[in-house]
Amino acid sequence: MDPLFDAVPGKAYYAISFRDIPETYILGGRCILCRHVGPVDRHRIELRHGAGEQLRYVGRHLRCLACGNTVRNHFTVVGCYLTRLLT
Ligand SMILES: [Zn+2]
């Protein structure tokens, strides 16, 4: 199961927007072809597309850094910001 669904319980992928995902989660992208997973700069994405934008729309703009694929890449969660827990 994708860790994205732990961050946003009870929502299907197509219904999730950036606003639904708590700030403490590090977002990443997953390539549907080669399964490469890498972190993305969610702050930059949210500035550009808006925090209310749904992941499925913004995912169209993702490009895989491993194989160059630009088709049907998905967002996922790659980790948590530990600094938020320490302060
Ligand atoms: Zn790839």
Side-chain angles (χ1 to χ4, degrees):
M1 181 117 142
D2 195 295
L4 180 64
F5 299 109
D6 292 329
V8 190
K11 271 208 172 186
Y13 184 80
Y14 67 81
I16 299 174
S17 66
F18 292 103
R19 196 178 284 137
D20 294 324
I21 305 166
E23 291 269 321
T24 46
Y25 288 98
I26 302 169
L27 285 185
R30 171 181 287 127
C31 174
I32 202 165
L33 287 184
C34 75
R35 305 265 160 198
H36 174 79
V37 174
V40 297
D41 184 347
R42 82 176 278 181
H43 184 66
R44 215 181 68 180
I45 292 170
E46 287 178 35
L47 279 179
R48 190 161 161 188
H49 296 280
E53 186 63 287
Q54 289 175 329
L55 303 191
R56 60 180 167 138
Y57 292 124
V58 184
R60 291 174 188 165
H61 304 292
L62 291 175
R63 190 174 74 84
C64 176
L65 295 177
C67 75
N69 170 47
T70 56
V71 179
R72 294 184 64 194
N73 294 320
H74 277 196
F75 282 98
T76 184
V77 164
V78 296
C80 260
Y81 289 107
L82 290 174
T83 48
R84 297 291 179 106
L85 302 174
L86 297 172
T87 52

